[in-house]
């Protein structure tokens, strides 16, 4: 078994090897740190690598396991977090020049919960500056590069997290999602990324972009991996008044189901119809496969989704500008050009437009809620295109298509991206599955059912 083999394990596989004493947490961590040392100089997934801390935590996990203490599925597992989550004693830059040396005194609640679960912190992942962008082309720390083609973007703003998971530089990660920033990078990098229901995961200690749209969520190599991470971080938190006091189930229960009896719908809206042909074909093929496997497949139309971009920007732009106004006035040159422009535009949005966007949000939420009176989940692309090249046109290339992810930040419904094939250039495509509020289990079940079908198809293709 080589170090590269070890770093390709899933969380479940790594945990099983630890419990069979085939490998120690320290050996597992050393393998990941070696992978980071090898690959991060090219891919730039990490802003800060916490090698000494990771080894200390791994030794502690080994000692606990020798004493019969088992903290669960994440015990001894190397995990990274986006550099938007506060980490006590470890710098949290938010990908900005302003906070390049900021070291918080306390952890974000989600990080506290990872520590409590026995996870090993490998470091802080690269992000689009202040999480305000879709490319993770960071002017201060460099771009996070797609492991499938380093000349292309990783997506944003949780780009470094997706790169690290996809390339074996950690087993799972935490990201944030305000306009699609977990699901987009997951799609472009070929991994799984979940945006839970708004209020499912605490945002205490997470630097905000637009608080009424912000979500925190897990990234992993499999649907089960993200379910295991969500088990660790979900739940009410007195530090975050917007985090709902709703009991969290065991999200891995979704792994026990298959497609039979599920009511799924293919979305007919601009987010689907204007996607690249290869992306649209992959999503439609996945829907047909689920139907063949026993799901009831229908279609839903969503005329109001045509307004999702305007609604999202009408809320995000002024909320982001409000948070950054003092910095923007005092030192505009401290921001990268793209983020500065967005903040300056957001500062000009009239209050009446913000209120109008919030009213439209209520209508869109009711519109999407109506879908889930008839179906269990809706299928659509996670990104409308595959990863464009790194360069000044990358943001425009992503904006040229209606975002399939923004609607569910506006409405707070849970949504996941799961790998769904690749285009002719070998670049990953993501299938997005969205579901009703607080029903992540069904969203995960649909995603897992597709994942199993995709593996079977891949296996059949290999053996033909």
């Amino acid at each position: 078994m080589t170090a590269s083999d070890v770093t390709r394990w899933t969380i479940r596989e790594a945990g099983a090897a630890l419990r069979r004493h085939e490998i120690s947490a320290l050996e597992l961590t050393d393998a990941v740190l070696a992978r980071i040392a090898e690959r991060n100089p090219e891919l730039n997934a990490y802003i800060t690598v916490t090698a000494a801390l990771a080894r200390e935590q791994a030794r502690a996990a080994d000692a606990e396991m020798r004493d019969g203490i088992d903290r669960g599925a994440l015990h001894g597992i190397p995990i990274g977090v986006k550099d938007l989550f506060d980490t006590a004693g470890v710098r949290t830059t938010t990908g900005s020049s302003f906070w390049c040396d900021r070291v918080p005194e306390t952890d974000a609640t989600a990080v506290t919960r990872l520590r409590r679960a026995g996870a090993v912190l490998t470091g802080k992942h690269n992000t689009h500056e202040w999480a305000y962008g879709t490319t993770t082309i960071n002017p201060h720390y460099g771009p996070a590069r797609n492991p499938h083609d380093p000349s292309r973007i990783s997506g944003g703003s949780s780009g470094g997290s997706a790169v690290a998971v996809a390339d074996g530089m950690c087993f799972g990660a935490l990201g944030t999602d305000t306009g699609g920033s977990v699901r987009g990078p997951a799609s472009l990098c070929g991994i799984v990324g979940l945006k839970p229901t708004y209020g499912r995961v605490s945002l205490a200690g997470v630097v905000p972009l637009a608080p009424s749209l912000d979500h925190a969520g897990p990234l992993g190599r499999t649907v089960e991996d993200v379910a295991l991470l969500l088990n660790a971080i979900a739940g009410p938190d007195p530090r975050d008044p917007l985090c709902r006091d709703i009991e969290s189930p065991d999200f891995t229960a979704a792994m026990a189901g298959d497609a039979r009896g599920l009511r799924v719908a293919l979305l007919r809206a601009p987010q689907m119809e204007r996607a690249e042909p290869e992306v649209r074909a992959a999503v439609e093929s996945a829907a047909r496969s689920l139907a063949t496997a026993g799901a009831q497949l229908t279609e839903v139309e969503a005329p109001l989704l045509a307004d999702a971009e305007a609604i999202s920007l009408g809320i995000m732009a002024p909320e982001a500008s409000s948070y950054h106004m003092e910095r923007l006035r005092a030192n505009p040159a401290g921001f990268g050009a793209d983020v500065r422009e967005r903040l300056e535009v957001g500062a000009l949005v009239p209050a009446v437009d913000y209120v109008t966007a919030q009213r439209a949000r209520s209508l869109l939420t009711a519109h999407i809620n109506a879908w889930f009176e008839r179906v269990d989940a809706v299928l659509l692309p996670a990104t409308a295109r595959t990863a464009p090249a790194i360069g000044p046109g990358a943001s425009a290339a992503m904006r040229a298509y209606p975002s399939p992810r923004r609607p569910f930040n506006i409405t707070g419904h849970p949504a996941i991206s799961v790998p769904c094939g690749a285009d002719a250039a070998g670049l990953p495509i993501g299938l997005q599955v969205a579901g009703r509020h607080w029903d992540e289990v069904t969203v995960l079940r649909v995603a897992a059912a597709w994942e199993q079908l995709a593996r079977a198809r891949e296996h059949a293709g290999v053996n033909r």
Side-chain angles (χ1 to χ4, degrees):
M1 182 192 310
T2 66
S4 61
D5 292 334
V6 168
T7 60
R8 292 297 180 181
W9 284 343
T10 66
I11 290 174
R12 177 69 73 189
E13 290 168 341
L18 285 170
R19 284 161 183 79
R20 290 193 300 265
H21 306 292
E22 295 173 357
I23 195 170
S24 69
L26 181 58
E27 290 169 333
L28 195 64
T29 298
D30 280 338
V32 168
L33 292 173
R35 182 71 177 176
I36 294 170
E38 175 191 359
R39 299 289 289 163
N40 200 57
E42 178 184 14
L43 299 182
N44 201 30
Y46 283 83
I47 290 176
T48 301
V49 179
T50 53
L53 175 62
R55 291 189 173 102
E56 176 187 331
Q57 292 177 334
R59 291 187 186 97
D62 284 330
E64 287 186 331
M65 285 187 271
R66 283 195 299 271
D67 289 341
I69 299 170
D70 189 339
R71 295 180 181 269
L74 301 185
H75 201 180
I77 304 296
I79 303 292
V81 300
K82 183 178 183 177
D83 205 15
L84 235 64
F85 291 78
D86 280 353
T87 41
V90 178
R91 71 172 181 160
T92 300
T93 73
T94 67
S96 74
S97 64
F98 292 92
W99 285 357
C100 59
D101 295 316
R102 173 178 175 262
V103 178
E105 295 182 358
T106 58
D107 286 329
T109 295
V111 174
T112 297
R113 291 174 177 175
L114 283 182
R115 292 185 193 265
R116 189 181 302 150
V120 172
L121 179 66
T122 53
K124 311 297 291 293
H125 292 147
N126 200 355
T127 172
H128 204 106
E129 181 186 10
W130 293 109
Y132 207 178
T134 61
T135 65
T136 313
I137 300 174
N138 190 302
H140 313 294
Y141 301 93
R145 297 180 177 274
N146 196 306
H148 296 270
D149 179 350
S151 72
R152 296 178 182 267
I153 69 166
S154 59
S157 60
S158 304
S161 298
V163 173
V165 172
D167 201 65
M169 289 186 272
C170 62
F171 289 90
L174 300 187
T176 62
D177 193 313
T178 304
S181 293
V182 162
R183 292 158 290 153
S187 174
L188 297 185
C189 292
I191 62 167
V192 182
L194 172 68
K195 182 196 77 64
T197 305
Y198 186 81
R200 174 71 82 181
V201 176
S202 172
L203 290 169
V206 181
V207 179
L209 173 55
S212 75
L213 299 171
D214 291 343
H215 300 65
L219 300 98
R221 295 194 192 113
T222 65
V223 176
E224 184 179 30
D225 282 359
V226 300
L228 291 169
L229 285 161
L230 187 59
N231 276 348
I233 64 173
D237 176 21
R239 293 177 61 196
D240 179 2
L242 297 178
C243 189
R244 295 283 296 277
D245 188 5
I246 292 178
E247 184 178 355
S248 294
D250 177 1
F251 295 103
T252 62
M255 303 304 108
D258 55 26
R260 285 174 292 183
L262 289 168
R263 300 173 301 161
V264 299
L266 196 61
L267 178 65
R268 295 299 181 192
Q271 285 79 359
M272 180 73 174
E273 304 305 324
R274 288 174 55 191
E276 285 184 336
E278 287 179 288
V279 171
R280 191 167 62 247
V283 170
E284 290 173 345
S285 176
R288 290 192 297 270
S289 294
L290 285 166
T292 300
Q296 302 171 33
L297 180 63
T298 59
E299 294 185 357
V300 292
E301 296 185 355
L304 287 184
L305 258 65
D307 298 325
E309 292 284 321
I311 296 169
S312 175
L313 295 175
I315 296 169
M316 185 188 303
E319 288 190 3
S321 296
S322 174
Y323 179 74
H324 290 288
M325 186 55 64
E326 185 177 334
R327 275 181 290 271
L328 185 63
R329 287 171 174 164
N331 184 15
F335 293 94
D338 63 327
V339 172
R340 181 174 66 249
E341 180 181 348
R342 292 180 190 123
L343 293 174
E344 289 171 345
V345 169
L348 299 176
V349 174
V352 66
D353 289 354
Y354 178 74
V355 172
T356 299
Q358 291 286 11
R359 288 175 177 165
R361 176 187 209 164
S362 298
L363 294 174
L364 182 60
T365 302
H367 183 63
I368 292 180
N369 280 339
W371 295 348
F372 299 116
E373 295 174 3
R374 298 185 289 118
V375 300
D376 299 311
V378 172
L379 311 177
L380 68 161
T383 50
R385 60 159 299 155
T386 54
I390 293 171
S395 291
M398 294 297 288
R399 290 197 306 269
Y401 300 83
S403 170
R405 304 176 305 283
R406 286 185 188 273
F408 308 112
N409 291 93
I410 297 168
T411 65
H413 290 88
I416 194 171
S417 176
V418 61
C420 183
D423 68 7
L427 297 171
I429 295 169
L431 168 68
Q432 185 174 197
V433 181
R436 60 180 62 87
H437 289 129
W438 309 109
D439 192 14
E440 289 88 353
V441 168
T442 298
V443 170
L444 290 161
R445 179 184 168 192
V446 174
W450 159 248
E451 185 179 63
Q452 292 166 11
L453 292 169
R455 287 173 182 162
R457 292 204 312 191
E458 182 179 357
H459 182 70
V462 167
N463 289 328
R464 272 201 298 270

